[in-house]
Amino acid sequence: MALTVPDCVPSKASSGEKRLFQILRDELPDDCYVWYEPNVKGLYPDFIILGPTLGLLILEVKGWSASQILRASDQHFEIEQPDGQIEVQQSPLRQAKNYQDTLMNKLKGCSILCQDDGDYQGKLAFPIGVGAIMTNITEAKARDENIYSILEKPQVVYKDELLEWDGIGERALMKRLEDMFTVRFKFMGLEDDQISTIKGVIHPEVVVRKEPATVKSVPSGFILKPDATVIKTLDVKQEQLARSLGSGHRLFCGVAGSGKTLILLSRAKTLAGGIFNKRVLILCFNITLAAYLRSLIEAENNPLYQERIEVLHFHDWAKSIMGKLPNLREFRAEYDEVLGDRLLEELDHIPAEQKWDAVLIDEAHTFHPNWFKCCAAALKDPENDDLLIVSDRSQSLYKRHPFTWKSVGIKAQGRTRRLNQNYRNTEEILSAAWDLVKSPSVEEDEEEAFPLVEPSAALRTGKRPTLQLCESRKAEVENAIAKIQQLVSEGYESKDIAIIYRYLGRCEAEPFSLLTQQLDELGLGCYWVNKDKSNYSSRHPGVRLITAKSALGLEFKAVIVLWVQQFGVGDEAESRRELYVSMTRAQDVLHLFGSGRFPVLRELEDSDGFDVAS
């Protein structure tokens, strides 16, 4: 069964498109991708099929009957519509060829997709073809009406042949699709990184990041250019979610590293792009996360995204609406509720045309219940416009009163999806982190806003996290610096390494000063994120220094948690969740450093999740 995006054909599709979608999905092998109406630089082919051994095939589907075609040529068809209007449309093959030319020009910009030497250097290293599916005309009728000479087999499939495709089998269908290519040649087959790069070119909305290509990115013997890059994209399940979400209120409850933020960003780009042209507001509680999301959107360098997507943390958004925020000293414990009430009043006075088409909330578990009413009120149509709420109860770092979605006017019944697959961490890191916050299974209230989602096994394995017990806070810093030097010697860039701590108290002031001084003197660079959270950028050089709360929503290749004993102070459940958040920021490598005689250090030392060193 092929991987389809979206996962089901929309209701607006023609009966012929629905039939073809079902056949391609059911009969093609499971390493093939099928996209329905992807956006190729403002053009929308009906289907694109991508397979490691097939190459890329663009299909245009037409439901015209023979009687509708008044005139036909290689370039244009005159079509009589049911209302009697006559439309001039491009020939199906000409239309598909336009898509092909546009896509080829974009794909040739990626060196890992092009032939590296010989007479064909610079041309695509895999075949790309086009075809047409005529769902309402038989081959015999096409010959009778002099259409066949313009739309010839094997590049065209007629109704009678399409009806025979039910149950055709993957081998026969693959052979038939290969016959549609006018230029076909032997090639090595596409590697996963090449397929991901093609996906990123076809659908920029699903791009996660670009990274240097490696020898594993291309077939054996392929010569990599020094600046060759790979476009990493959402996996097919995440892409299906981002593209197939209906309008209205939608909720995602997902574990750390499940791609919640990536799906949210992809959804925002899809809504703001050329298909929907919607005005999108992304909200979060974390100042650093808001800045990070803004930097990702700016890096896309897409004028539509920059014009139509606005990213703010909640208080900045409230201030932009109200002019100023309530006085914190005046309300103290009731501040968040008062803020929500006053903002709701102001939103009631804003004309609908000045509101947003979509509001997307990241790390929603950090929001006060009252604020969700404001988020719905910010929509032009609060009942039916896009409101996407993304959360993870295990990462709740702030005390919030329990509530139900019904109590704040959010329609959640039947609209909640749980994401339990971890993509970010290795199995070793995830296991060690989850042991901190998992609790015996208890019966949950079905109406609870943020249900607990337990992660399934991570997709990757790696090195076990380490716990290094030191004599003092200063010794922790010295050992952490030595570990950073080792990571850099292994190929990690300083900006891919984060030092996460809980707070800077009197006892940490001198060691922290030593840390920043040593990082600068060693040429590693130091980026103290909490010094200017609102301008955080993933492209800024230097080892990141950041608190656990500010790190919420971010990720780094290597993480060093400093002064772990801090996570044993205060409310136990909250402390554990902060340490869980800190540990799950790490993609590949995790090192913990602690000192002193603290129960939290003894617990970690006695657990099975760490290699312990003194």
Side-chain angles (χ1 to χ4, degrees):
M1 181 177 285
L3 303 164
T4 59
V5 180
D7 56 352
C8 59
V9 71
S11 57
K12 70 178 180 65
S14 68
S15 58
E17 290 173 334
K18 291 176 181 177
R19 170 181 284 275
L20 181 60
F21 182 92
Q22 183 175 340
I23 292 170
L24 296 175
R25 181 195 63 196
D26 296 346
E27 303 297 339
L28 285 175
D30 56 13
D31 60 358
C32 281
Y33 290 84
V34 176
W35 287 276
Y36 173 74
E37 287 196 346
N39 178 4
V40 180
K41 207 170 183 178
L43 303 174
Y44 302 92
D46 291 325
F47 288 91
I48 291 182
I49 304 168
L50 172 64
T53 60
L54 174 71
L56 199 65
L57 180 64
I58 300 167
L59 296 179
E60 190 62 24
V61 182
K62 295 300 181 186
W64 303 328
S65 65
S67 61
Q68 284 183 273
I69 302 174
L70 304 180
R71 290 184 181 81
S73 70
D74 291 335
Q75 297 296 319
H76 296 98
F77 277 48
E78 287 188 16
I79 306 299
E80 184 177 7
Q81 299 297 340
D83 60 2
Q85 295 290 321
I86 297 175
E87 290 185 2
V88 178
Q89 299 188 22
Q90 279 190 321
S91 161
L93 292 178
R94 179 67 261 172
Q95 194 172 355
K97 184 66 168 60
N98 287 344
Y99 302 143
Q100 180 190 40
D101 293 342
T102 300
L103 196 51
M104 285 179 68
N105 288 334
K106 296 181 72 175
L107 293 169
K108 285 178 180 178
C110 306
S111 64
I112 66 167
L113 303 179
C114 298
Q115 301 192 51
D116 53 345
D117 60 4
D119 295 338
Y120 298 102
Q121 184 175 4
K123 294 186 180 295
L124 291 179
F126 57 94
I128 177 169
V130 301
I133 313 290
M134 308 303 291
T135 61
N136 273 330
I137 302 176
T138 65
E139 180 182 342
K141 192 67 174 177
R143 290 182 183 276
D144 291 343
E145 300 293 333
N146 297 318
I147 298 170
Y148 187 85
S149 61
I150 299 169
L151 300 175
E152 291 188 1
K153 295 176 71 172
Q155 208 172 3
V156 178
V157 174
Y158 286 98
K159 178 181 178 179
D160 44 334
E161 181 185 359
L162 183 62
L163 293 174
E164 295 174 356
W165 280 13
D166 290 318
I168 187 175
E170 66 178 50
R171 181 176 296 181
L173 182 55
M174 286 288 282
K175 177 63 171 63
R176 179 63 183 91
L177 295 180
E178 289 174 3
D179 290 342
M180 300 177 83
F181 288 76
T182 55
V183 177
R184 182 118 192 125
F185 53 87
K186 289 185 178 180
F187 65 110
M188 296 288 289
L190 294 165
E191 299 293 335
D192 288 345
D193 279 352
Q194 291 177 305
I195 289 175
S196 178
T197 299
I198 294 170
K199 286 172 57 182
V201 170
I202 293 174
H203 269 318
E205 304 90 26
V206 303
V207 172
V208 175
R209 62 183 176 274
K210 291 183 179 181
E211 58 184 44
T214 68
V215 291
K216 293 182 179 179
S217 302
V218 292
S220 176
F222 192 102
I223 302 173
L224 275 178
K225 290 187 176 180
D227 59 348
T229 58
V230 171
I231 302 176
K232 291 292 186 180
T233 58
L234 300 180
D235 78 0
V236 70
K237 290 183 179 179
Q238 295 171 321
E239 186 179 356
Q240 286 173 338
L241 278 176
R243 286 183 55 81
S244 62
L245 280 176
S247 59
H249 301 179
R250 304 286 167 178
L251 295 91
F252 283 176
C253 303
V255 298
S258 59
K260 301 183 300 295
T261 297
L262 296 177
I263 294 171
L264 180 144
L265 271 178
S266 179
R267 182 63 179 167
K269 290 187 283 187
T270 298
L271 292 171
I275 303 177
F276 298 105
N277 297 328
K278 290 189 175 183
R279 185 170 174 236
V280 181
L281 174 65
I282 299 177
L283 293 173
C284 51
F285 182 74
N286 188 344
I287 297 174
T288 314
L289 177 57
Y292 172 63
L293 296 178
R294 280 195 298 270
S295 73
L296 293 180
I297 290 171
E298 288 168 2
E300 295 277 350
N301 199 26
N302 186 317
L304 288 181
Y305 299 162
Q306 294 174 8
E307 176 187 345
R308 295 173 183 159
I309 302 176
E310 189 173 7
V311 185
L312 295 168
H313 76 95
F314 189 85
H315 289 72
D316 257 2
W317 176 57
K319 187 176 181 180
S320 71
I321 301 294
M322 301 164 61
K324 65 177 182 178
L325 298 176
N327 190 313
L328 180 59
R329 294 181 181 178
E330 185 178 347
F331 298 101
R332 295 187 180 276
E334 300 175 351
Y335 182 81
D336 288 337
E337 187 170 357
V338 170
L339 173 61
D341 288 341
R342 293 192 177 181
L343 177 56
L344 192 59
E345 289 178 12
E346 290 294 328
L347 288 166
D348 285 341
H349 295 108
I350 296 178
E353 61 270 15
Q354 294 180 19
K355 294 186 178 182
W356 287 264
D357 300 296
V359 175
L360 283 55
I361 307 166
D362 201 8
E363 307 292 356
H365 48 270
T366 57
F367 274 38
H368 185 278
N370 211 18
W371 296 356
F372 293 103
K373 297 178 182 178
C374 302
C375 296
L379 293 166
K380 293 175 180 176
D381 182 350
E383 295 284 327
N384 302 305
D385 277 344
D386 290 86
L387 178 62
L388 177 60
I389 299 172
V390 173
S391 66
D392 176 13
R393 182 170 135 190
S394 299
Q395 299 186 69
S396 298
L397 305 185
Y398 304 92
K399 287 183 171 64
R400 301 299 189 199
H401 296 297
F403 70 101
T404 64
W405 289 119
K406 187 177 180 180
S407 69
V408 294
I410 303 299
K411 298 178 180 179
Q413 189 170 7
R415 303 184 181 193
T416 302
R417 300 202 187 194
R418 299 192 181 205
L419 309 175
N420 62 0
Q421 181 66 67
N422 181 289
Y423 295 89
R424 177 191 300 145
N425 312 125
T426 62
E427 187 174 338
E428 292 79 4
I429 291 172
L430 177 63
S431 177
W434 182 247
D435 282 345
L436 292 168
V437 294
K438 70 179 181 182
S439 56
S441 58
V442 294
E443 189 173 337
E444 290 188 351
D445 182 351
E446 290 184 1
E447 294 189 348
E448 188 171 355
F450 304 121
L452 184 67
V453 182
E454 183 172 349
S456 60
L459 296 176
R460 300 179 296 120
T461 58
K463 295 180 180 178
R464 280 166 56 86
T466 66
L467 170 65
Q468 189 157 341
L469 302 175
C470 306
E471 295 179 352
S472 64
R473 289 174 176 83
K474 181 180 178 182
E476 289 182 56
V477 166
E478 292 170 343
N479 282 281
I481 290 172
K483 183 61 66 177
I484 292 170
Q485 288 179 291
Q486 178 186 334
L487 289 170
V488 171
S489 70
E490 292 173 357
Y492 288 93
E493 294 184 54
S494 59
K495 68 182 181 66
D496 294 327
I497 304 170
I499 296 176
I500 301 178
Y501 58 96
R502 195 176 184 200
Y503 55 78
L504 284 181
R506 179 176 54 83
C507 295
E508 290 81 25
E510 185 177 340
F512 187 80
S513 178
L514 172 66
L515 174 64
T516 56
Q517 179 182 340
Q518 286 291 303
L519 289 173
D520 284 335
E521 288 181 358
L522 291 168
L524 298 169
C526 171
Y527 183 16
W528 186 11
V529 176
N530 286 75
K531 192 175 182 180
D532 187 12
K533 294 186 287 187
S534 60
N535 289 312
Y536 175 75
S537 171
S538 58
R539 299 186 298 277
H540 195 292
V543 176
R544 277 81 173 106
L545 308 179
I546 189 170
T547 62
K549 286 184 175 179
S550 291
L552 183 65
L554 308 183
E555 63 182 16
F556 312 94
K557 291 183 179 179
V559 165
I560 289 172
V561 182
L562 203 57
W563 307 315
V564 177
Q565 60 272 13
Q566 294 180 336
F567 295 90
V569 178
D571 181 90
E572 182 182 3
E574 185 177 326
S575 301
R576 284 175 176 271
R577 287 195 294 268
E578 283 195 49
L579 183 52
Y580 171 75
V581 167
S582 302
M583 293 170 64
T584 54
R585 300 310 94 194
Q587 294 174 319
D588 304 325
V589 178
L590 175 64
H591 299 290
L592 276 61
F593 292 85
S595 60
R597 299 172 62 84
F598 291 87
V600 66
L601 293 179
R602 288 200 298 272
E603 180 184 344
L604 293 173
E605 186 178 8
D606 293 339
S607 74
D608 296 328
F610 299 89
D611 288 335
V612 182
S614 299

